[in-house]
Structures are given as structure tokens and as C-alpha cells.
Amino acid sequence: MSKRPKKYVDKVLALRARLWPDLIEDELWYHKKYDGFVTIPRTMPLIMSIIDDLTKGTPASSTYLDLWCRTFPEMYVSLSEQTKLAYGAGFTGQRARRTWQERIRLLNELGFIRVAEGMAGEFSHAVVINPHVALKRLKDQKHPGLVASKYNALLERAGEVGAPDVDRDPKAPPPASSIPF
């Protein structure tokens, strides 16, 4: 993980103070101060846009993000409370659970998650796959729904934020500095 230089942080804090002099620190959300946070890739907005391209007509990005937000470092999610999961992904009404299950099926088929059966039925357990790995596989398979310009934008953004796992073979050894949790 790269650390921002103190000089940069001081510069940003000074600019923020000038732009918003009435800002109260407690209005800001700090992940080290409050519980209930999850780490996400800085590329997540592009990933979500690409997921919606891949699931044309049945957008699945909100389902993916909701699953991601329910994970811990093990990247496992219990799918046993499907009505709650559907609601968390933005689906309500009589068809909410069925709509959610359709999105889960698509995410599984595309390789963004892997599901396993259990007491809750076909979708009882899930593991959330690194989206960069899933997208690299889809690119290598020449998936027709993967828009080249968006994948290239993902590569550009990955370079900006220092994400070495984008477009890397998942079977290749990880960089020496990688830490699993």
C-alpha cells in the first residue's frame, strides 16, 4: 500500500481549510475512527460501469457492490437472508428476491463471484472474486459485452492509483510486497 507524502497531505488539508473554512471535522467520515467500513478498489466506479455493460438490460453492479460491502478480508458472504440482500441491492416488491437471484446468477456466470449451494438453496454462499481478475479473464475470452474503451480506462485508472493486479495473470506469482490481509 502506498502512503501519501506528508507534504501532499498537508497541502490538501490547507486547501480544504481555505475552501471550506466552516467545515467541522465530525462532518467527515474517517475509516479509522468509525466501525462499519470496507475497503474497495479505487477502480470500483469503472468496475460497476463495466458490470452493467456486461449485464445489459439487467444491471448487476448494485448487487455486486452490496455483496462487496458485506465481506471481510476472507471475501465470503452468506446468502441465506436473500430478502435482506435483495433490499440492500435496491430491489423491492414482490419480485425483489427473484430479481436479485437473476443478478447473482449473472455475476456468477461472468466470474465476479462464485456461489455454492446450501440450506438456503442454489444461492447459499458466495465468495467475491477480485474484479480485476474477473475482468482480465473476460478480456482474454474476448467477451462481446466488454467495451474496449472502458477496459482501457480501467487500465489507465489502475496506473494512476497503483493497482498492479489489473490486467495481470492471476496465476502469476504476486508482487513481492503483496500482503493478503
Side-chain angles (χ1 to χ4, degrees):
M1 171 166 48
S2 65
K3 209 143 161 78
R4 294 168 299 148
K6 183 178 179 344
K7 186 176 179 179
Y8 170 80
V9 172
D10 291 344
K11 184 177 166 181
V12 168
L13 290 175
L15 177 61
R16 187 182 77 186
R18 284 193 305 272
L19 294 173
W20 299 282
D22 61 336
L23 183 68
I24 300 167
E25 285 292 317
D26 282 346
E27 289 181 284
L28 303 175
W29 185 81
Y30 291 107
H31 73 277
K32 291 184 178 181
K33 184 176 179 181
Y34 302 108
D35 286 335
F37 71 92
V38 66
T39 302
I40 64 168
R42 293 182 187 272
T43 56
M44 188 61 87
L46 273 170
I47 292 164
M48 292 177 65
S49 178
I50 293 169
I51 286 172
D52 286 344
D53 287 345
L54 291 165
T55 59
K56 199 62 116 184
T58 51
S61 64
S62 66
T63 304
Y64 183 73
L65 183 61
D66 183 65
L67 290 176
W68 189 284
C69 290
R70 293 173 185 275
T71 66
F72 288 91
E74 302 79 21
M75 300 308 288
Y76 165 82
V77 182
S78 170
L79 304 180
S80 62
E81 297 189 55
Q82 295 181 5
T83 302
K84 285 183 181 180
L85 292 164
Y87 193 86
F91 305 116
T92 59
Q94 293 179 339
R95 299 176 58 198
R97 192 164 162 240
R98 190 170 92 203
T99 301
W100 176 85
Q101 289 175 339
E102 289 170 4
R103 299 325 192 263
I104 292 295
R105 187 171 284 108
L106 288 168
L107 290 168
N108 184 58
E109 289 169 2
L110 289 167
F112 288 97
I113 63 172
R114 292 179 62 190
V115 297
E117 295 178 357
M119 291 186 354
E122 178 183 5
F123 304 122
S124 291
H125 310 277
V127 63
V128 180
I129 303 300
N130 178 337
H132 299 151
V133 171
L135 287 169
K136 168 83 166 115
R137 285 184 186 138
L138 292 168
K139 180 188 144 231
D140 291 348
Q141 295 166 358
K142 297 179 180 13
H143 191 285
L146 186 59
V147 178
S149 61
K150 285 196 183 171
Y151 190 84
N152 291 342
L154 179 70
L155 294 175
E156 291 173 46
R157 182 68 177 137
E160 293 170 5
V161 301
D165 59 328
V166 173
D167 209 47
R168 186 178 72 79
D169 181 353
K171 293 180 181 160
S177 64
S178 69
I179 300 170
F181 308 158

